Amino acid sequence: MYLKTAVPFSHDLLKQVIAPGDTVIDATVGNGSDTVFLATLVEKKGHVYGFDIQAEAIKQTQEKLLLTGLTEQVTLVHAGHETFNQHVPETKEISAAIFNLGYLPKSDKSVITKPDTTLSAVTQMLERLRKAGLLIIVVYYGHDGGAVEKDAVLAFCESLDQTQYNVLQYGFINQKNAPPFVLAIEKK
Ligand code: SAM
């Protein structure tokens, strides 16, 4: 298949923008697969800050990082991504950030990302994004509460000034069951 689904498409974009030595953000660590991917791209001289509100997600990810030998270049924060400015030193410019909205698969489906905190975090991270950096949001919205967050995030992205940001939406439009789609914000 030539047309990639949301997650592989988001990884292709991240690969293009992230270089060894960069500082990047996994805003929703979950089972840690994005954290491992980012840590591999930034290498030991770079750094990944990963956020999640669930202890289980942080624990699982810590274990994955140990197994893959990537702990050195990752700081896992057991707190919401909306606390970004408190945890990532203000001298640090970031080259990329990724959000996977929704709930942690095989876990408590009532613990979901929420519009206010998601947009607070996105706003803080956009201020710190370097020129030509990318902030990616993979929008899962088939669950209870998902549609409200999708609408809020889309409205926010549509309102971004086109002289400062390019915003792309990517997703399949003929699939049933609310397939996830990607929003990619590039700073000009
Ligand atoms: N990227 C993950 C992966 O590769 O497995 C999937 C993430 S999952 C769709 C969404 C995650 O966001 C859940 O683990 C949930 O606990 C977390 N979450 C919910 N609200 C959050 C918040 N305010 N800040 C950080 N993480 C949050």
Side-chain angles (χ1 to χ4, degrees):
M1 214 168 79
Y2 292 114
L3 300 180
K4 294 195 172 166
T5 53
V7 170
F9 180 75
S10 69
H11 284 194
D12 280 356
L13 293 176
L14 291 169
K15 263 192 243 166
Q16 290 182 66
V17 76
I18 297 172
D22 283 359
T23 300
V24 302
I25 310 299
D26 185 353
T28 50
V29 161
N31 68 24
S33 51
D34 282 349
T35 316
V36 166
F37 175 71
L38 294 171
T40 307
L41 292 176
V42 299
E43 299 183 356
K44 296 231 182 293
K45 55 186 173 169
H47 210 78
V48 182
Y49 290 86
F51 292 84
D52 207 293
I53 54 173
Q54 294 195 70
E56 189 50 35
I58 298 291
K59 186 168 158 259
Q60 264 187 46
T61 302
Q62 194 71 60
E63 283 163 11
K64 263 193 187 153
L65 292 169
L66 271 172
L67 285 173
T68 46
L70 293 164
T71 44
E72 203 179 304
Q73 64 257 50
V74 179
T75 300
L76 292 175
V77 182
H78 181 197
H81 37 228
E82 63 278 13
T83 65
F84 170 81
N85 278 336
Q86 291 162 45
H87 290 100
V88 180
E90 61 185 39
T91 49
K92 298 241 181 203
E93 211 180 36
I94 61 174
S95 66
I98 181 150
F99 290 72
N100 279 268
L101 304 183
Y103 60 88
L104 180 61
K106 299 187 198 137
S107 174
D108 184 351
K109 290 193 179 154
S110 68
V111 182
I112 56 171
T113 53
K114 304 260 175 66
D116 287 359
T117 41
T118 298
L119 292 180
S120 163
V122 170
T123 305
Q124 292 173 47
M125 291 177 202
L126 284 179
E127 278 169 19
R128 275 300 188 97
L129 196 63
R130 69 155 162 78
K131 277 192 180 180
L134 271 186
L135 184 149
I136 293 178
I137 309 171
V138 183
V139 184
Y140 292 83
Y141 62 98
H143 55 282
D144 280 350
V148 175
E149 185 174 35
K150 171 189 73 128
D151 290 346
V153 171
L154 273 173
F156 174 88
C157 288
E158 283 164 11
S159 75
L160 286 171
D161 181 351
Q162 70 173 56
T163 64
Q164 293 184 53
Y165 300 100
N166 291 317
V167 188
L168 171 91
Q169 182 175 353
Y170 172 91
F172 293 96
I173 59 172
N174 68 334
Q175 287 184 357
K176 296 193 170 65
N177 302 324
F181 64 90
V182 175
L183 292 167
I185 306 172
E186 177 183 45
K187 199 171 206 173
K188 287 189 170 179

